[in-house]
């Protein structure tokens, strides 16, 4: 790495105003600073500013006046200052999942055509390509990236396997989402010299269960601003932010982490923020008048504000810290549920659910005499909306569904499902554990009453998560645990409870890891959730086509809307055998039932192998996975 200026040096007074360095001649600036400036200048890319970003490995967006981050609840007096206090682009308006009836509220990032990208943004990179690398193709006017076996409206595994062309391609919907494209159908560009049309053209109906690939024009374009919508992520640079991804396993093999649905890895910014908390701020919160208590309280409440912003919740009073999504669902079941669900009532879940969104409701049914109902899924793994709607009725008290299936990757139409439930006056809980790391989340657009997620699924620490609760619902929800900070006054005759959220946070919480969750949110927002969604979708399409070329491999879960999960089985091979073969090459995947036995049994299975992707994964990672699968079949 070249020796460039630090951010603090670049932002302080001019060189001539700096103190004279020891040994320097009076009246002259520190020559080492001049040398570092020159060195930084000559290492700049074309059109790059001399002023460096706070972290060259992370795209950072300067906040625009319209989307500046919300201020912290209080100003922290802690000596630690986050390296990147700014956020990426705001959450985008959700779009309609094309496999169901149109609705304006579904949170499933979709992509426009290249023509809708604003000037200067350019096309996204190929999945896994370095944003600053040269393209190893003859560019000409338009580079043909799609192998012959992949062209057309369907995917031919046999042709793909025999193709010698490069296999880097993107589905059209992998391109970057933009607000204007989400608001209306894309308008084709007018011919040169013709007036631009203001009438949107009708969006063509997309064929079901097909793979449509795109030829990208890779001619050099102006570089977009870092962190802006449309900025191409550089996963190789991002990998360097995650110390564990430099780990070597099993005799020196490079670690390839493809078990992100189980837990995501932690960037150095999160690790250091937790360490700094324990070094400089550690104290209990809300209870003392000394300096460290003020620092810890400020840091904890600032993390609550970041979580509110991340979910687009209306108020910090709607955010409750818990140990994770599992505890969040249990909290709702044992607080709101015990107060509102009675004998003969019904609780509705879907066939896709993780055990954590089944067992607490079964326990509530056992306690109250209520019944558990299940919304079915089709053969692709998507919820059958018509069947779901028929299950809603006057006996239904709460709907609890996942936004993204951890076993199949299915993205469910949560906004439409919420709206249908609310027509019957039914409370709705959304399990967002698998969604928060892959797409922008807007609880107000979804319209749900509760939303739960785990910090460790979004590059934060384990043992921390959050529940969003609608204010009017939380106001009528009793506490589920007692003691500590949740009380306003206690006598032996009665207890007066605090208002939400303190009412639901009994005892000493996981303060340091809440602060770490705030740092993780800072990190993903600096990249931009829309950019993450677009990059991962392209990588998912790449991995899907590569894996379909493996003999006797069957993907489980082929819904039109999917996030970064690729569950599969191979005929004649045990899932444990496949997992061990991958592990021997340093490739970490999950093999088993994924705590989602009902949905696997819906497909006649007890286990699958589940690679799951994140924004630090690359085409090279996918290729390594597929190479092992081919070797298991006796082919190199």
């Amino acid at each position: 790495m070249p020796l460039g200026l630090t951010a603090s040096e670049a932002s302080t007074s001019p060189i001539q105003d700096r103190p004279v360095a020891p040994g320097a001649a009076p009246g002259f600036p520190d020559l080492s600073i001049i040398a570092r400036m020159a060195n930084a200048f000559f290492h700049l890319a074309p059109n790059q500013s001399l002023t460096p970003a706070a972290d060259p490995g992370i795209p950072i967006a300067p906040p625009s006046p319209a989307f500046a981050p919300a201020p912290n609840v209080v100003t922290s007096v802690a000596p630690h200052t986050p390296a990147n206090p700014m956020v990426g682009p705001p959450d985008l308006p959700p779009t309609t999942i094309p496999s169901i009836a149109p609705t304006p509220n579904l949170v499933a990032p979709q992509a426009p055509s290249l023509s809708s990208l604003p000037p200067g943004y350019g096309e996204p990179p190929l999945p896994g390509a370095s944003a600053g690398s040269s393209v190893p193709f003859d560019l000409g006017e338009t580079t043909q990236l799609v192998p012959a076996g992949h062209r057309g409206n369907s995917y031919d595994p046999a042709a793909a396997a025999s193709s010698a062309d490069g296999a880097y391609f993107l589905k059209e919907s992998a391109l970057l989402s933009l607000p204007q494209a989400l608001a209306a159908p894309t308008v084709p560009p007018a011919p040169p010299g013709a007036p631009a049309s203001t009438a949107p053209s009708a969006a063509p109906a997309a064929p079901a269960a097909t793979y449509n690939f795109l030829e990208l024009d890779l001619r050099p374009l102006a570089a977009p601003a870092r962190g802006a919508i449309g900025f191409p992520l550089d996963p190789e640079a991002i990998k360097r932010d995650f110390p564990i991804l430099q780990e070597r396993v099993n005799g020196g093999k490079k670690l390839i982490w493809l078990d992100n649905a189980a837990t995501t890895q932690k960037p150095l910014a999160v690790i250091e923020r937790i360490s700094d908390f324990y070094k400089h701020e550690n104290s209990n919160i809300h209870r003392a008048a000394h300096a460290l208590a003020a620092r810890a309280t400020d840091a904890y409440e600032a993390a609550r504000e970041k979580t509110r912003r991340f979910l687009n919740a209306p108020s910090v009073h709607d955010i409750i810290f818990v140990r994770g999504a599992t505890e969040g669902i249990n909290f709702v079941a044992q607080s709101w549920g015990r107060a509102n669900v009675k004998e003969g009532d019904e609780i509705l879940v879907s066939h896709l659910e993780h055990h954590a969104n089944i067992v607490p409701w079964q326990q509530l049914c056992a306690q109250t005499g209520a019944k558990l109902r299940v919304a079915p899924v089709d053969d692709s793994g998507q919820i059958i909306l018509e069947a779901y709607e028929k299950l809603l009725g006057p006996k239904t008290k709460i709907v609890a569904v996942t936004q993204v299936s951890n076993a199949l990757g299915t993205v469910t139409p949560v906004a439409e499902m919420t709206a249908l439930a609310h027509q019957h006056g039914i409370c709705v809980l959304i399990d967002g554990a698998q969604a928060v790391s892959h797409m922008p989340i807007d609880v107000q657009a979804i319209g749900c009453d509760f939303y739960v997620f785990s910090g460790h699924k979004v590059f934060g620490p384990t043992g921390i998560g959050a529940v969003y609760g609608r204010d009017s619902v939380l106001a009528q929800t009793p506490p589920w645990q007692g003691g500590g900070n949740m009380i306003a006054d206690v006598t032996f005759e009665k207890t007066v409870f605090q208002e939400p959220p303190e009412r639901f946070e009994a005892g000493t919480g996981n303060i340091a890891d809440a602060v770490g969750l705030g740092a993780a949110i800072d990190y993903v927002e600096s990249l931009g959730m829309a950019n993450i969604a677009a990059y991962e979708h392209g990588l998912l399409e790449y991995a899907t086509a590569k894996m379909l070329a493996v003999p006797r491999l069957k993907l489980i879960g082929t819904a039109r809307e999917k996030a970064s999960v690729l569950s599969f089985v191979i005929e004649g091979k045990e899932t444990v055998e496949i997992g061990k073969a991958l592990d021997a090459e340093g490739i970490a995947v999950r093999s088993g039932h994924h705590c989602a036995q009902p949905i696997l049994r819906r497909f006649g299975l007890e286990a699958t192998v589940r690679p799951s992707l994140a924004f630090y994964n690359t085409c090279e990672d996918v290729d390594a996975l597929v190479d092992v699968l081919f070797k298991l079949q006796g082919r190199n």
Side-chain angles (χ1 to χ4, degrees), residues 271-286:
I271 298 169
E272 290 182 339
R273 184 65 188 95
I274 297 171
S275 176
D276 284 348
F277 176 85
Y278 282 122
K279 289 177 182 177
H280 304 294
E281 300 158 283
N282 183 45
S283 171
N284 216 319
I285 57 174
H286 297 145

Side-chain angles (χ1 to χ4, degrees), residues 331-332 334-340 473-481 486 497 503-504:
F331 150 61
V332 175
Q334 293 301 313
S335 56
W336 186 94
R338 289 287 292 272
N340 291 276
V473 177
L474 290 180
Q476 303 300 318
T477 301
W480 75 308
Q481 293 177 328
M486 53 85 68
F497 301 117
R503 179 191 300 175
F504 307 111

Side-chain angles (χ1 to χ4, degrees), residues 110-323:
Q110 294 247 326
S113 65
L114 285 174
S115 63
S116 63
L117 291 174
Y121 276 16
E123 294 86 347
L126 302 172
S130 171
S133 65
S134 59
V135 180
F137 299 102
D138 179 15
L139 293 179
E141 182 160 342
T142 301
T143 300
Q144 300 287 335
L145 295 180
V146 185
H150 293 158
R151 294 175 187 149
N153 291 327
S154 62
Y155 177 74
D156 182 355
S162 62
S163 173
D165 296 332
Y168 289 85
F169 54 89
L170 289 172
K171 188 178 179 182
E172 185 174 3
S173 61
L175 297 177
L176 302 174
S177 299
L178 296 168
Q180 62 268 34
L182 297 176
T186 301
V187 179
S197 173
T198 58
S201 60
T210 61
Y211 293 95
N212 299 319
F213 301 106
L214 185 68
E215 297 173 357
L216 296 182
D217 182 358
L218 296 183
R219 289 171 293 180
L221 295 172
R226 288 193 168 205
I229 299 172
F231 184 86
L233 301 186
D234 184 345
E236 292 298 343
I238 291 171
K239 277 179 185 281
R240 295 193 288 271
D241 294 333
F242 292 78
I244 202 167
L245 298 183
Q246 319 308 317
E247 194 74 9
R248 298 281 173 166
V249 296
N250 295 338
K253 296 290 179 18
K254 176 184 175 182
L255 174 65
I256 297 175
W257 187 257
L258 294 175
D259 196 15
N260 295 287
T263 195
T264 53
Q265 298 301 344
K266 320 309 172 193
L268 188 61
V270 171
I271 298 169
E272 290 182 339
R273 184 65 188 95
I274 297 171
S275 176
D276 284 348
F277 176 85
Y278 282 122
K279 289 177 182 177
H280 304 294
E281 300 158 283
N282 183 45
S283 171
N284 216 319
I285 57 174
H286 297 145
R287 301 179 189 177
H290 54 73
L292 290 189
R295 294 179 183 179
T297 300
D298 289 355
Y300 185 78
E301 293 303 330
R304 195 191 306 274
E305 162 58 22
K306 292 174 183 179
T307 305
R308 179 212 65 77
R309 186 186 69 217
F310 183 61
L311 299 179
N312 193 32
S315 168
V316 291
H317 301 296
D318 304 334
I319 302 300
I320 301 156
F321 284 128
V322 289
R323 288 186 299 155

Side-chain angles (χ1 to χ4, degrees), residues 105 336 348 388-389 392-393 396-399 414-430 443-450 468 470 472-473:
N105 292 328
W336 186 94
L348 179 58
Y388 162 80
E389 187 173 5
L392 301 173
T396 313
K397 294 302 178 182
I398 187 167
V399 169
V414 289
E416 185 157 1
M417 295 175 74
T418 298
L420 290 170
H422 281 174
Q423 291 176 8
H424 297 269
I426 300 168
C427 185
V428 177
L429 176 144
I430 303 299
V443 294
Q444 296 186 70
I446 295 171
C448 55
D449 301 287
F450 294 103
Y468 156 76
R470 186 190 298 274
S472 59
V473 177

Side-chain angles (χ1 to χ4, degrees), residues 57 82 162 221 228 230 260 275 320 358 406 412 442 550 558 563 624:
S162 62
L221 295 172
N260 295 287
S275 176
I320 301 156
I358 299 174
N406 76 304
T412 62
D442 186 336
V550 176
T558 55

Side-chain angles (χ1 to χ4, degrees), residues 623-636:
D623 292 343
L625 167 77
V626 172
D627 285 347
V628 174
L629 300 182
F630 270 113
K631 289 176 182 177
L632 275 173
Q633 305 284 4
R635 294 173 55 185
N636 293 325

Side-chain angles (χ1 to χ4, degrees), residues 484-500:
N485 197 54
M486 53 85 68
I487 57 93
D489 185 74
V490 174
T491 67
F492 286 111
E493 289 73 32
K494 69 174 182 178
T495 297
V496 179
F497 301 117
Q498 296 272 25
E499 294 298 313

